[in-house]
């Protein structure tokens, strides 16, 4: 069998409302998530044993990580299917920054699950794979499906949103990691936020969505900026770009996004920002 490949798309929280820490140790949340047309890329081919090779511009950030989410997911798939550890050679082309609020690890695991299922010819649908992904992390199911969705609970209660149109965007990472645990601890210290799910926009055209999103928030943004001021710099620089209609941080950071009216405007803004900040990771995309 020839090698097969799949994109592991970046996840973006268009808004993220977070409630106080509960007795089970988790924070309830409400979010509308979309997925970019860029991300990491995984390739899988049959082999005598399970292995993972990582390449790409952000491969170095994963050095020494002997049991990352990709390997854990594929081993869990083998256990669920009753076949033991699968014999697969996996290559991860790491194009997304690490600890960036883009769901990279969970998206990689989701893509690996789908590729491993197909390579092994296992009779498992995506819902069965989502159950396995849930054991890897709370956002495993959403990244496995990689579809626009309302996420609630721990992020694993999903309602798919088919009305969301393509949204031209720019993703910007200032080159600093943002620790999810540290951001949540800072959020707990601030004691501000609620996991309220807002009513949907009055209409699902891009202009109405932009107006509606402007009334939402990311409750983790202020705590993240307090820990990593570079995120604030990225928010300010991105908001100043011509044509930027809305700017917000994704997840627990450090990546921020800006929404634009057209893909051409997002691309032009990306060129301008890259010239001003050559050390930043800047990518135009379309969120779907």
């Amino acid at each position: 069998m020839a090698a097969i490949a799949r994109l592991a798309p970046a996840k973006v929280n268009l808004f993220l409302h977070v409630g106080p820490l509960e007795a089970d140790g988790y924070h309830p949340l409400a979010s509308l998530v979309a997925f970019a047309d860029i991300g990491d890329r995984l390739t899988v081919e049959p082999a005598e044993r399970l292995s993972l090779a990582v390449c790409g511009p952000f491969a170095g950030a994963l050095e020494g990580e002997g049991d990352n989410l990709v390997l854990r997911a594929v081993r869990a798939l083998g256990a669920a299917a009753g076949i033991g550890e699968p014999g697969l050679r996996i290559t991860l082309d790491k194009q997304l920054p690490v600890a960036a609020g883009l769901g990279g690890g969970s998206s990689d695991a989701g893509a690996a699950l789908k590729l491993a299922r197909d390579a092994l010819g296992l009779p498992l649908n995506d819902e069965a794979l989502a159950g396995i992904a849930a054991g890897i992390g709370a956002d495993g199911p959403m990244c496995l499906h990689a579809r626009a969705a309302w996420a609630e609970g721990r992020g694993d209660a999903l309602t798919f949103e088919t009305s969301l149109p393509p949204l031209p965007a720019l993703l910007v990472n200032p080159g600093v990691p943002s620790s999810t645990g540290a951001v949540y601890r800072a959020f707990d210290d601030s004691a501000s936020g609620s996991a309220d799910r807002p009513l949907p926009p009055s209409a699902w055209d891009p202009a109405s969505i932009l107006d509606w999103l402007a009334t939402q928030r990311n409750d983790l943004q202020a705590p993240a900026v307090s820990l990593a001021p570079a995120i604030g710099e990225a928010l300010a620089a991105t908001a100043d770009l011509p044509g930027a209609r809305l700017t917000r941080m994704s997840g627990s950071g450090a990546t921020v996004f800006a929404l634009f009216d057209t893909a051409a405007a997002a691309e032009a803004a990306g060129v301008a920002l890259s010239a001003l900040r050559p050390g930043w990771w800047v990518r135009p995309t379309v969120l779907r």
Side-chain angles (χ1 to χ4, degrees):
M1 174 182 166
I4 52 176
R6 176 180 285 271
L7 180 72
K11 177 268 302 175
V12 172
N13 298 91
L14 295 174
F15 73 83
L16 180 57
H17 298 175
V18 182
L21 182 68
E22 296 189 331
D24 61 2
Y26 288 89
H27 294 79
L29 62 85
S31 183
L32 179 61
V33 297
F35 287 84
D37 58 6
I38 61 171
D40 299 332
R41 190 162 189 84
L42 282 92
T43 304
V44 167
E45 56 188 326
E48 293 184 359
R49 62 181 182 86
L50 179 63
S51 66
L52 173 65
V54 185
C55 61
F58 294 99
L62 299 181
E63 285 183 0
E65 189 179 47
D67 188 29
N68 71 7
L69 294 184
V70 168
L71 291 175
R72 287 172 55 193
V74 173
R75 290 190 179 112
L77 173 66
I83 61 173
E85 185 171 284
L88 296 170
R89 181 182 299 109
I90 305 172
T91 302
L92 168 59
D93 182 1
K94 192 64 184 166
Q95 294 290 321
L96 297 178
V98 176
L102 298 175
S106 295
S107 190
D108 293 343
L113 284 171
K114 291 181 177 180
L115 287 169
R117 173 195 59 189
D118 295 345
L120 298 168
L122 299 176
L124 297 172
N125 60 21
D126 283 358
E127 285 302 324
L129 295 184
I132 298 171
I136 305 300
D139 58 354
M142 77 168 70
C143 290
L144 181 285
H145 290 296
R147 295 169 55 190
W150 300 83
E152 297 175 272
R154 298 177 182 177
D156 54 352
L158 302 176
T159 304
F160 297 118
E161 183 51 76
T162 59
S163 299
L164 187 72
L167 299 174
L170 188 70
L171 302 182
V172 179
N173 187 287
V176 297
S178 182
S179 166
T180 298
V183 170
Y184 269 102
R185 287 190 292 273
F187 169 79
D188 290 337
D189 290 340
S190 68
S192 61
S194 63
D196 54 302
R197 172 173 168 171
L199 293 173
S202 58
W204 286 97
D205 61 280
S208 297
I209 292 170
L210 283 165
D211 290 342
W212 173 76
L213 283 174
T215 66
Q216 310 307 325
R217 62 191 191 274
N218 181 341
D219 289 331
L220 299 182
Q221 183 169 299
V225 170
S226 72
L227 295 173
I231 299 174
E233 296 175 16
L235 285 164
T238 306
D240 284 342
L241 293 170
R245 297 287 306 278
L246 178 137
T247 302
R248 181 167 290 151
M249 188 183 79
S250 178
S252 56
T255 304
V256 307
F257 67 91
L259 299 180
F260 294 81
D261 290 324
T262 66
E267 292 173 3
V271 171
L273 185 56
S274 293
L276 291 173
R277 299 283 192 165
W280 287 5
W281 181 84
V282 179
R283 296 291 186 277
T285 187
V286 176
L287 304 178
R288 304 180 186 277

